[in-house]
Amino acid sequence: MYAIIQLLGFNDSRYHQYKIIIAILALFFFPINLLFEGAGIIATMANYYVPMCLMAYVLLIFKQVTKTYILQLLAFLFAIQQEQFALLGLIIFSVAIGYQIYQKLSVLKYVPFFILSIGGILSAKLSPGNAIRNAVETNVRFPEFQSINLLRKLDMGFIKMSYDLLFNGSVSLFFILMLISILIFSII
């Protein structure tokens, strides 16, 4: 809820007015059935939804370094266990470090996230379990995967991971009703 309010641009004092509306709408319109498809609820939550939420948390409150820096590092450490988020983190923090250097500002708060991103990528690449899973599962489920270039693989991964969450009819309806509710509530 906090991330949604931040993305919509409301400040913290107004957040308290809207948290009940968002929670009620989320209960009715979140597509719970999606959690039981594919690998199952625990694998789906652990591999996709929890890292996605933690990555959003880290990026949305990044400016509040003094209060939550250690918590951000721990959340980021969990999020980058999903290799797509490790790569996304590497890209984001490489750009952030480059920008900070260009502006002649300190890069100290970005360096641990950059290093953790590299560690997440190395962990995914060097893990013997990933190599075995790749050899077995890829040939069964997606034989042409080896012939696709890296950028297309990343694109397909991000699309698959976020499509149902962002473009599912129930989720879209949830966001529309949430925005309408907030608008009506703020007018009253």
Side-chain angles (χ1 to χ4, degrees):
M1 289 186 301
Y2 182 77
I4 291 170
I5 293 298
Q6 290 296 322
L7 286 172
L8 293 175
F10 296 116
N11 62 26
D12 288 347
S13 64
R14 295 190 72 186
Y15 162 68
H16 299 294
Q17 298 173 3
Y18 304 118
K19 65 182 178 181
I20 295 297
I21 294 170
I22 294 171
I24 291 169
L25 289 173
L27 285 174
F28 286 107
F29 292 101
F30 185 79
I32 298 296
N33 62 316
L34 294 177
L35 299 177
F36 296 98
E37 294 177 357
I41 189 169
I42 293 173
T44 301
M45 292 297 287
N47 291 327
Y48 297 103
Y49 292 125
V50 172
M52 187 184 322
C53 291
L54 289 174
M55 188 71 156
Y57 166 75
V58 168
L59 296 175
L60 285 169
I61 65 164
F62 196 77
K63 291 182 181 178
Q64 302 171 2
V65 174
T66 56
K67 295 180 182 177
T68 60
Y69 191 70
I70 300 299
L71 188 57
Q72 287 174 342
L73 280 171
L74 292 173
F76 190 71
L77 182 61
F78 186 85
I80 61 165
Q81 298 308 307
Q82 212 278 352
E83 55 270 7
Q84 294 166 344
F85 287 119
L87 184 60
L88 180 63
L90 181 68
I91 293 167
I92 289 170
F93 290 106
S94 295
V95 170
I97 288 171
Y99 178 78
Q100 293 291 101
I101 290 171
Y102 177 76
Q103 295 291 323
K104 297 181 172 94
L105 300 170
S106 174
V107 297
L108 290 178
K109 70 179 181 182
Y110 299 101
V111 171
F113 292 94
F114 179 78
I115 292 169
L116 285 174
S117 297
I118 291 172
I121 292 169
L122 288 174
S123 173
K125 285 304 271 182
L126 300 176
S127 171
N130 278 344
I132 293 168
R133 183 185 69 181
N134 185 26
V136 174
E137 294 292 325
T138 305
N139 290 331
V140 172
R141 297 180 187 260
F142 196 176
E144 60 274 6
F145 186 76
Q146 298 302 331
S147 63
I148 299 171
N149 70 35
L150 178 62
L151 289 176
R152 181 66 183 135
K153 288 177 184 176
L154 291 171
D155 178 50
M156 291 171 69
F158 283 113
I159 288 171
K160 175 65 178 144
M161 183 175 57
S162 61
Y163 179 80
D164 285 334
L165 183 63
L166 297 175
F167 298 110
N168 177 290
S170 298
V171 175
S172 300
L173 182 61
F174 162 68
F175 282 117
I176 291 168
L177 289 173
M178 181 189 67
L179 291 173
I180 290 170
S181 300
I182 291 171
L183 181 62
I184 291 170
F185 190 72
S186 65
I187 292 173
I188 296 176

